[in-house]
Amino acid sequence: MKTNSTKRATALVCMVSLAAALATACNSTETKNPPADGQASASPVTLSLIQPDGGRVWRDDNPVTKEIEKKTHVKLNVNMLPNNDFNNKYNALAASGEIPDMSRLGSFDYQKFVDQGLFLDLSPYLDKYAPNLMKNLKPALWELTKHKGKQYVIPYENAPGKEVPVVRKDWLDVLNMKMPTNLDEFEQMVKAFTFNDPDKNGKNDTYGIGNANTYAESFMSIFGAFGISPGMFANSVPMNSYLQENKIYPVAISPEYQSSLSYIKNLWDARVIDPEMFTIKSDQAMQKVAQGKIGFFNAWWSIAPQTLGQQLKMKEIVPNALWEPVFPGIKGPEGKSGMLSFGNLGAVIAISSKTKNPEAVLRFLDYMSTDEGWELSHYGIKGEHYREITEARTEAGQKAFDERWLDPLSQIVSRQELIEKVSKTSKDPVQLDNNRFLEKAAQYTLYPDVFYGIPLTDEQKSYGPDVAKYEEEMFIKFVTGKEPLSKWDEYVATWKKKGGKALLDSKIKTYNELRSGNVSPGI
């Protein structure tokens, strides 16, 4: 173990080295543009980035990354963490006060940290160093992500409809069943998928419902049939709320939520839900689906065509497998159906307030927002990995994509209009298959959270994690029968005592202030 004096000495050496490096790299107060070809070149600026892996793999020898580094005159130091572990590890990193130059965070997660002084106010820099970012990202997104009048993050645009319930269409055909349109037909289908040997292998080894990423997504279309969207069991904020007759109700203690739980519990009791649903890791769950053991799941649009179809080669494992989106949706007792709205903010990039070269960071991000930078980060090197973005990838490009290392930087800056353009004009059979899921995801009725974009309150920061944890724990207990639904009133009372009521009141107060509203709590 190092002594304190040793640590101080090491830190001093690092500071001196860093200062020397900065003095060498920066001969003026303004970062210069990358030198033109043939001119003497200063050393590239080293920039660090942390982001969820999104199912991708980082390779130091990635030729696409090297080309991006060459174009932007930087050297990247990237830390990609598994999606399901990212928030916990980033929370610990933020608590230390030492974060990388760039952090890719989910939607409004930056609100938890911005008042700690972790992030740089970008307002003085954007017009000068990021003109393409300012031009290519919609003004409404910049406005949505302002915090107390300042711009601390760069928004990543997202289509609000991204989740799709999908079913093994080949199993439906084998069992002579039609696509389910309501909860009764859905129940009949998942029971047949579990007990009627849909894969005809003579074994009792299939389940009607499974999860292909996280179990929080698995029941989204069922909740939608009752007219609600609980969200995704966020680890720091409680589930969504909705506005009705000028009153706001938290979904997690609503009558519709109770009805949804009762329906899901009946499916659990019928043993048509994978018994490992709440314990299996996401990659293991995905493998189980790829092996043909699950007949229905609900997840991000790309799981079926890309992760299962392309990357996990499900067709080679199960040649007859055919995934089809459930459409127009599963209707509930009042004829409702729908999915969670993710809003138009998919993520953000925050820049550390301690970054030594904010101009270089912004110039890098600015390049990534150009047509050239976006295309390079998404498709690779033209002529090597693809010929035209509307055509199929080359053999080398498809291999790199299947191995998940081609596009690790594609999640940095979004150009939704380019995505839509490619989608509409593509002749690539892979893209055409993707379109079946993308188009359906965009057409479902979407249930938004009434508090979407409303900043975190002090009460939310204090009580949010405990309330969210309690919601998740009780969801599992109610579904699996560890707690009877007859304890619903007790659950609601405990939810309020744990801070749910205080949290809701604080959010409504902020909502009224920012939206010039006059709404009140429904509980």
Side-chain angles (χ1 to χ4, degrees):
M1 180 180 295
K2 292 184 178 180
T3 64
N4 288 337
S5 59
T6 303
K7 290 180 180 178
R8 285 194 294 270
T10 302
L12 181 59
V13 171
C14 291
M15 290 175 63
V16 171
S17 300
L18 179 60
L22 289 171
T24 302
C26 306
N27 295 320
S28 69
T29 57
E30 181 179 319
T31 302
K32 299 183 183 299
N33 289 324
D37 292 342
Q39 295 182 358
S41 172
S43 298
V45 178
T46 298
L47 301 179
S48 54
L49 164 69
I50 188 170
Q51 65 176 15
D53 62 19
R56 294 166 173 83
V57 175
W58 182 262
R59 277 179 37 173
D60 290 331
D61 62 347
N62 186 339
V64 179
T65 303
K66 289 185 179 298
E67 184 66 17
I68 290 172
E69 290 177 328
K70 178 182 176 182
K71 294 280 188 181
T72 57
H73 201 60
V74 302
K75 173 60 180 172
L76 294 172
N77 180 7
V78 178
N79 185 9
M80 292 172 56
L81 300 174
N83 286 17
N84 58 4
D85 199 30
F86 180 85
N87 286 338
N88 289 334
K89 290 190 174 179
Y90 192 83
N91 289 342
L93 195 65
S96 74
E98 299 296 329
I99 59 173
D101 295 304
M102 297 173 282
S103 302
R104 185 186 192 273
L105 305 174
S107 298
F108 299 100
D109 287 352
Y110 69 95
Q111 294 177 347
K112 295 182 290 186
F113 310 110
V114 68
D115 289 330
Q116 299 175 26
L118 287 177
F119 304 140
L120 181 71
D121 175 14
L122 306 178
S123 308
Y125 301 91
L126 287 169
D127 286 335
K128 185 174 183 180
Y129 299 109
N132 292 297
L133 271 174
M134 296 297 291
K135 178 184 70 174
N136 291 328
L137 301 185
K138 295 174 182 175
L141 286 170
W142 290 109
E143 192 62 32
L144 178 65
T145 50
K146 274 186 168 56
H147 183 83
K148 298 179 180 178
K150 296 182 179 181
Q151 193 72 49
Y152 289 95
V153 295
I154 295 165
Y156 181 96
E157 186 177 4
N158 188 35
K162 285 289 191 178
E163 291 270 335
V164 183
V166 293
V167 64
R168 283 286 298 272
K169 177 65 166 55
D170 55 307
W171 284 9
L172 285 175
D173 293 342
V174 165
L175 298 172
N176 196 28
M177 301 183 76
K178 64 178 183 178
M179 187 72 72
T181 61
N182 57 53
L183 288 174
D184 289 338
E185 292 175 359
F186 179 77
E187 182 177 355
Q188 294 170 17
M189 179 190 77
V190 294
K191 285 181 176 178
F193 281 0
T194 306
F195 302 116
N196 293 1
D197 193 20
D199 57 359
K200 299 304 175 186
N201 68 351
K203 299 178 182 178
N204 184 22
D205 59 352
T206 58
Y207 287 99
I209 303 175
N211 56 310
N213 190 19
T214 67
Y215 69 81
E217 298 168 272
S218 302
F219 307 107
M220 195 180 290
S221 52
I222 295 175
F223 284 116
F226 288 91
I228 57 172
S229 177
M232 300 284 286
F233 292 116
N235 68 352
S236 62
V237 294
M239 292 183 182
N240 292 4
S241 300
Y242 61 89
L243 179 65
Q244 182 175 303
E245 297 181 352
N246 223 36
K247 293 186 181 295
I248 291 181
Y249 300 84
V251 168
I253 58 172
S254 67
E256 296 89 349
Y257 186 67
Q258 183 182 15
S259 298
S260 302
L261 286 177
S262 180
Y263 179 86
I264 296 169
K265 183 185 185 306
N266 286 338
L267 296 181
W268 178 269
D269 292 343
R271 300 187 178 184
V272 299
I273 299 174
D274 181 2
E276 295 184 313
M277 170 75 78
F278 301 116
T279 57
I280 195 170
K281 294 181 179 180
S282 60
D283 57 340
Q284 295 172 327
M286 203 86 73
Q287 289 290 342
K288 183 177 287 191
V289 176
Q291 291 163 5
K293 305 303 180 185
I294 302 298
F296 169 92
F297 66 83
N298 191 103
W300 207 249
W301 72 267
S302 60
I303 295 296
Q306 288 189 3
T307 306
L308 294 173
Q310 297 173 43
Q311 295 170 356
L312 296 182
K313 307 292 184 185
M314 185 174 179
K315 276 284 189 180
E316 296 179 11
I317 305 170
V318 188
N320 296 325
L322 176 61
W323 290 107
E324 190 71 25
V326 177
F327 192 81
I330 301 168
K331 292 184 179 181
E334 297 180 5
K336 297 177 180 179
S337 71
M339 301 290 289
L340 170 67
S341 169
F342 286 85
N344 59 346
L345 183 68
V348 297
I349 296 290
I351 298 177
S352 170
S353 59
K354 295 181 180 180
T355 189
K356 302 300 181 183
N357 203 326
E359 298 92 340
V361 177
L362 282 167
R363 283 177 170 145
F364 164 74
L365 294 170
D366 192 62
Y367 173 77
M368 298 294 279
S369 78
T370 64
D371 290 7
E372 179 184 282
W374 183 89
E375 190 169 320
L376 178 58
S377 66
H378 281 73
Y379 292 91
I381 299 172
K382 194 167 187 176
E384 180 179 347
H385 300 113
Y386 73 105
R387 287 173 288 273
E388 296 293 337
I389 59 177
T390 56
E391 298 177 4
R393 300 179 193 273
T394 65
E395 184 177 346
Q398 190 61 50
K399 182 176 184 294
F401 183 79
D402 290 344
E403 293 174 356
R404 308 185 187 186
W405 58 262
L406 179 70
D407 60 344
L409 297 177
S410 63
Q411 304 299 295
I412 301 301
V413 176
S414 174
R415 294 285 305 278
Q416 194 64 29
E417 80 281 9
L418 292 181
I419 294 173
E420 293 172 0
K421 179 181 177 180
V422 171
S423 178
K424 291 176 181 177
T425 61
S426 180
K427 303 178 185 68
D428 176 10
V430 173
Q431 181 64 53
L432 293 175
D433 191 36
N434 287 346
N435 288 351
R436 294 194 301 119
F437 299 87
L438 278 168
E439 290 168 2
K440 294 296 186 292
Q443 293 180 61
Y444 294 117
T445 299
L446 300 178
Y447 298 122
D449 178 11
V450 70
F451 292 130
Y452 183 74
I454 298 297
L456 291 176
T457 63
D458 290 339
E459 289 82 358
Q460 195 168 3
K461 294 174 186 176
S462 300
Y463 302 126
D466 286 342
V467 175
K469 182 180 178 182
Y470 180 65
E471 290 176 0
E472 185 171 6
E473 288 175 348
M474 291 305 296
F475 170 77
I476 295 173
K477 288 180 179 179
F478 280 142
V479 168
T480 59
K482 291 183 179 178
E483 291 286 355
L485 273 169
S486 58
K487 287 191 174 182
W488 175 259
D489 291 342
E490 181 181 324
Y491 157 70
V492 173
T494 303
W495 184 92
K496 293 177 181 179
K497 289 178 182 177
K498 280 185 172 289
K501 182 63 168 67
L503 191 159
L504 177 67
D505 291 342
S506 72
K507 293 290 284 187
I508 289 176
K509 180 176 182 293
T510 304
Y511 177 93
N512 284 330
E513 290 171 351
L514 295 179
R515 303 281 169 85
S516 300
N518 188 29
V519 302
S520 58
I523 59 172

